[in-house]
Amino acid sequence: MSALKTYTTALMGKVLRAGAMLALALGSQAALAQDNTIESITASQQGNNVVVNIAMANPPTKLPVGFSIANPSRIALDFASTSNGTGKTSQELNLADVRALNVVQAGERTRLVLSLKRPLNYAMAIDGKSVVVTVDGSGGLAQAVNASGVPVAAAAPAAPGRQMLKNLDFRKGPNGEGRVVVDLPNNQVAVDMRQVGNAIVVDFMKTALPETLRRRLDTTDFGTPVAQITTVPQGDNVRMTIEARGLWEQSMYQSESQLIIDVKPIKEDPNALVQGTQGYRGEKVSFNFQNVEVRAALQAIGDISGLNIITSDSVSGNLTMNLKEVPWDQALAVVLQAKGLDMRKNGTVLWIAPKEELLTKEKLELEQKAQIADLEPLRSEIFQLNYQKVESFRTVFGLEGGGGASQNRVLSKRGSAIIDPRTNQMFITDIPSRLDDIRRLVAKTDIPSRQVLIEARLVEANDGFSRNLGAKLGFADLRGIRGGDAGYQVRGNNRLAIGGNLLGIGQVTRQADGADEDGYSNTTMIDLPANPIGGNSPGTLAASLFSAAANRFLNLELSALEADGKGKIISSPRVVTEDKNVAIIEQGVELPYQEASSSGATSISFKKANLRLEVTPQITPDGNVMLDVNVTKDSKGEETRAGFAINNQRVKTKVMVENGGTVVLGGIYQQTETSNVAKVPFLGDLPVLGNLFKTSSRNNSKQELLVFITPKIIAERISTR
């Protein structure tokens, strides 16, 4: 048997995926730079630093675009319009913290990847036809040097005070990962990331933190593995602590001055050799086995993986295998598939046996557990509910009537449950494993609901303007009463008398007896006064033109009224309710009206005219509030023969609002313009004088209703004990 084990440092899939995520502005760079070729790559160690000299065919015009990732530790450099002329794609270095380098050409772009043992800073410089990359091994800032190791430029003078982080943001990625984005002051900030328990600790060296970023972000509602992010200054550094939950893995990469930390969820598979999200993730190895025993091949894979492998006595046979640069977990899967084997993992111990043997054993174990459940002694436990009503668990346990248990998925076939609504308690009798399940169920469901304060504002504004104009014109001839002949001579003995109406003419000509002494009030011929507005009578101005004998009169009365009114009604109902529960608040009056039946009997019914707010809030995972709102503003209208009319104003909608934000749900705007003219034909159309023979009114009113709503999530009280 001969086994060849070679650890390779091929370009990891994460580097390619991280490069695809970055928007590298290479189009304009490729247009400016001439086609170039990487002729050779050499590396040397200078103290703690590693200097990589990349010799080009032509002098480069610009430095390559680079980025780095922390898990696995890599530095990637993209050369635009450049080909790989070295004749190889990988090269072992093993200098200080630099393991190897890989060169990959894709179209007109070539990517060079340096594999590191730990995250380090780097700097680049152009020296003639070469690009010199300096990897700083001290963990601090990297200084660019030329091919001879001499610094090419002095470090930029430090600004007054320490450099500060610019911004901190959290997002949810497309695959459910939590993404922390940090804007660094420059691309030379030393970053130290490590995992401590269920937290990721990131230290930004020699960096300060502005007051606006000194905060604790609660990201639980985003549904990612990240539960909380705390950023605080610590001495001369800044420490960020990312608390995660569940099974997860982290990766960090940096593009220029932006640092991105991804915390990805992992679906736990107890039989998986390496927990991860992207298929096979073991270290790459090479095998060349010729007719070797299966047990020996499995033992070789166990030595590489670090797992303890136990093989069943029924595992036998030989195999021939020639694999080059494949993950060791993939190699193991190939061996198991080729020989009809399967595996079960328990911690670091791997048990390998034929599939039929494993399935038979697991079936026997399940049958034994079922028998034990039938014989296992029962236990009783009392569960006190604090927030949920015990009645809500009636359907969960399949309870019928007041007690007992029917078929359900929570209790075992021997279990029973009794609920007591008076004390809000449950009495459960079952095997211990089912009691543990019920205990976890109660712990997850019996929690206080979050509450929301909803404040609505209804602003109703009125703006009205009215103007009425009118006139009275009369003529009186009292010569027949106060001396002289009444009227005017027309022809011979015929005379003509003028009055406002027949009664007035009769009084002037003394035909109507017993009337007013002088008939003055009946001499009006044009009676078109201004109409009252809102119960207010118009103002009047009268003038009379008469003869010296005071026996002929021309009377004129002008009336006018103008009204201008503005009003505003603000209603502000408020209500507090639990998440996803309907809340209703209303205020108003009930107006009676009479109803008649088919038999002729009458009855009094009432109809509401009130302000009503009905809302159902729903708190979203990102801290916003979805509102299902129904706002009604009814008021008493005009009185009719059947009773008062009801003026209805209503808004019903569904909207999402940020916590504490205000949104305008809608508005109703009404504008009414009315113009009326009553006049004497022909005379009312005369210029200027026509105003004495007509009355006019103009009405202009505006009504506007706006509905504002503001939801506020009530913060939970934090116990100090």
Side-chain angles (χ1 to χ4, degrees):
M1 178 187 69
S2 63
L4 177 62
K5 179 178 66 175
T6 307
Y7 294 94
T8 67
T9 55
L11 178 63
M12 300 295 292
K14 279 190 174 181
V15 178
L16 297 176
R17 291 192 300 274
M21 294 171 60
L22 297 175
L24 300 177
L26 297 177
S28 60
Q29 181 177 347
L32 295 175
Q34 298 178 355
D35 293 340
N36 213 337
T37 303
I38 299 178
E39 294 185 338
S40 64
I41 303 176
T42 58
S44 62
Q45 184 174 354
Q46 300 179 5
N48 292 329
N49 300 338
V50 175
V51 179
V52 181
N53 189 353
I54 306 169
M56 314 287 290
N58 302 314
T61 58
K62 286 187 178 181
L63 290 173
V65 178
F67 66 94
S68 61
I69 63 175
N71 186 20
S73 300
R74 300 288 187 267
I75 296 175
L77 306 177
D78 281 330
F79 294 83
S81 299
T82 303
S83 61
N84 180 16
T86 61
K88 50 186 176 180
T89 59
S90 62
Q91 181 177 345
E92 295 287 340
L93 297 181
N94 293 323
L95 298 174
D97 290 313
V98 181
R99 293 179 176 178
L101 64 86
N102 296 270
V103 183
V104 179
Q105 181 178 348
E108 296 181 353
R109 184 180 65 175
T110 298
R111 172 171 292 180
L112 185 146
V113 180
L114 296 174
S115 300
L116 309 178
K117 297 180 181 179
R118 59 190 178 100
L120 295 173
N121 288 325
Y122 68 96
M124 296 183 293
I126 297 177
D127 185 9
K129 294 184 178 182
S130 299
V131 175
V132 182
V133 182
T134 304
V135 181
D136 185 84
S138 63
L141 300 180
Q143 173 64 50
V145 299
N146 57 19
S148 303
V150 179
V152 297
R162 285 180 297 162
Q163 52 189 358
M164 288 192 173
L165 298 181
K166 295 182 179 179
N167 193 21
L168 170 64
D169 191 15
F170 178 80
R171 308 166 188 167
K172 182 178 180 180
N175 298 320
E177 68 270 16
R179 180 167 296 170
V180 184
V181 181
V182 183
D183 289 335
L184 304 174
N186 52 64
N187 60 355
Q188 289 295 309
V189 175
V191 180
D192 179 23
M193 185 181 75
R194 60 192 181 277
Q195 181 176 344
V196 180
N198 289 328
I200 303 172
V201 179
V202 184
D203 288 332
F204 302 91
M205 304 301 180
K206 305 297 182 182
T207 307
L209 185 68
E211 290 290 341
T212 56
L213 299 182
R214 297 184 184 184
R215 55 190 177 185
R216 176 177 296 174
L217 299 178
D218 186 359
T219 59
T220 305
D221 294 336
F222 282 84
T224 68
V226 179
Q228 190 171 264
I229 303 174
T230 305
T231 310
V232 295
Q234 187 155 359
D236 294 337
N237 307 328
V238 174
R239 171 162 294 183
M240 175 189 294
T241 304
I242 305 173
E243 299 180 12
R245 57 188 177 184
L247 191 61
W248 49 271
E249 62 180 356
Q250 83 279 2
S251 63
M252 181 180 73
Y253 56 92
Q254 180 178 345
S255 175
E256 297 301 327
S257 61
Q258 189 175 74
L259 180 72
I260 300 176
I261 303 172
D262 279 346
V263 183
K264 303 177 182 179
I266 299 177
K267 185 177 181 181
E268 185 174 4
D269 184 0
N271 292 319
L273 299 176
V274 180
Q275 297 291 348
T277 59
Q278 300 293 334
Y280 300 109
R281 299 170 55 84
E283 191 74 24
K284 292 186 177 182
V285 296
S286 297
F287 288 116
N288 187 3
F289 295 151
Q290 299 293 331
N291 197 23
V292 68
E293 293 183 358
V294 176
R295 291 175 174 271
L298 294 176
Q299 187 61 40
I301 296 176
D303 294 339
I304 297 172
S305 63
L307 296 175
N308 300 312
I309 296 181
I310 301 176
T311 57
S312 174
D313 294 338
S314 55
V315 176
S316 60
N318 297 341
L319 59 82
T320 299
M321 182 172 56
N322 186 6
L323 302 176
K324 294 182 179 180
E325 296 184 1
V326 297
W328 65 261
D329 48 346
Q330 184 180 8
L332 177 59
V334 170
V335 174
L336 298 180
Q337 184 178 6
K339 305 302 293 183
L341 304 176
D342 204 351
M343 62 180 178
R344 297 294 183 268
K345 184 182 177 185
N346 185 3
T348 59
V349 179
L350 196 66
W351 180 36
I352 298 177
K355 292 183 179 179
E356 294 78 6
E357 181 179 338
L358 290 177
L359 294 175
T360 302
K361 182 178 181 300
E362 290 175 348
K363 180 179 179 181
L364 292 175
E365 290 179 353
L366 293 175
E367 292 176 351
Q368 291 175 358
K369 290 181 179 179
Q371 294 175 0
I372 293 175
D374 293 339
L375 301 176
E376 189 176 4
L378 301 178
R379 289 176 52 191
S380 297
E381 189 168 344
I382 301 175
F383 294 91
Q384 176 68 58
L385 300 184
N386 298 320
Y387 304 101
Q388 297 288 341
K389 291 184 178 180
V390 73
E391 291 288 346
S392 61
F393 283 83
R394 183 178 294 276
T395 56
V396 175
F397 296 126
L399 298 181
E400 298 178 353
S406 63
Q407 295 295 330
N408 60 82
R409 299 182 181 180
V410 178
L411 300 176
S412 67
K413 60 183 180 180
R414 299 169 57 202
S416 62
I418 300 175
I419 65 173
D420 183 13
R422 185 179 63 86
T423 59
N424 208 38
Q425 292 180 340
M426 298 186 303
F427 302 88
I428 311 296
T429 301
D430 211 329
I431 60 177
S433 60
R434 292 301 177 95
L435 291 178
D436 293 339
D437 295 339
I438 296 173
R439 190 178 299 108
R440 287 191 293 268
L441 175 63
V442 171
K444 287 291 185 181
T445 57
D446 188 32
I447 57 176
S449 300
R450 304 181 69 179
Q451 298 184 358
V452 182
L453 169 66
I454 298 101
E455 178 180 0
R457 287 183 178 270
L458 286 80
V459 180
E460 186 175 0
N462 299 318
D463 188 359
F465 175 79
S466 299
R467 174 181 293 170
N468 293 341
L469 299 176
K472 288 184 178 182
L473 179 63
F475 173 75
D477 186 357
L478 303 181
R479 288 178 294 179
I481 299 175
R482 298 184 178 180
D485 297 329
Y488 300 90
Q489 184 179 1
V490 178
R491 182 189 303 171
N493 294 327
N494 298 328
R495 301 184 69 85
L496 175 64
I498 301 175
N501 50 38
L502 290 178
L503 179 59
I505 293 297
Q507 291 176 346
V508 170
T509 58
R510 303 184 68 88
Q511 300 178 69
D513 295 328
D516 192 7
E517 181 179 0
D518 55 5
Y520 176 79
S521 60
N522 293 307
T523 62
T524 301
M525 295 180 291
I526 306 298
D527 191 4
L528 297 174
N531 296 322
I533 300 177
N536 298 317
S537 299
T540 61
L541 176 64
S544 181
L545 181 64
F546 54 92
S547 64
N551 55 10
R552 283 172 292 178
F553 297 86
L554 180 62
N555 302 320
L556 174 64
E557 179 184 287
L558 300 177
S559 59
L561 182 63
E562 181 176 298
D564 188 3
K566 294 183 180 180
K568 182 185 293 185
I569 301 175
I570 299 178
S571 305
S572 181
R574 299 182 182 181
V575 64
V576 178
T577 182
E578 290 186 349
D579 185 24
K580 301 182 182 68
N581 282 344
V582 181
I584 299 176
I585 184 173
E586 59 181 340
Q587 179 188 18
V589 297
E590 292 188 359
L591 301 177
Y593 62 96
Q594 192 175 35
E595 289 184 342
S597 61
S598 58
S599 61
T602 60
S603 61
I604 301 297
S605 299
F606 292 87
K607 187 174 182 180
K608 292 183 178 180
N610 55 11
L611 169 65
R612 188 173 189 267
L613 171 64
E614 179 180 347
V615 61
T616 304
Q618 178 182 350
I619 303 175
T620 62
D622 55 356
N624 297 328
V625 182
M626 290 286 297
L627 296 176
D628 193 350
V629 188
N630 186 3
V631 182
T632 304
K633 179 69 169 63
D634 297 340
S635 59
K636 182 172 65 176
E638 297 180 356
E639 185 177 5
T640 65
R641 297 181 61 183
F644 286 99
I646 304 297
N647 298 328
N648 299 112
Q649 292 175 323
R650 182 181 182 186
V651 176
K652 184 177 182 180
T653 185
K654 189 172 184 179
V655 65
M656 183 173 70
V657 191
E658 64 180 2
N659 181 25
T662 301
V663 65
V664 182
L665 295 184
I668 300 175
Y669 179 79
Q670 291 179 327
Q671 182 174 1
T672 304
E673 294 184 2
T674 305
S675 180
N676 296 320
V677 177
K679 61 183 178 180
V680 177
F682 180 71
L683 296 178
D685 296 330
L686 295 176
V688 183
L689 294 179
N691 294 323
L692 302 178
F693 299 93
K694 64 181 178 182
T695 178
S696 61
S697 63
R698 183 165 64 91
N699 186 4
N700 189 355
S701 63
K702 299 177 183 178
Q703 293 182 348
E704 187 173 7
L705 174 66
L706 295 176
V707 180
F708 302 86
I709 194 162
T710 303
K712 297 179 181 179
I713 301 175
I714 299 178
E716 299 178 1
R717 292 180 297 178
I718 301 177
S719 176
T720 57
R721 292 181 299 175

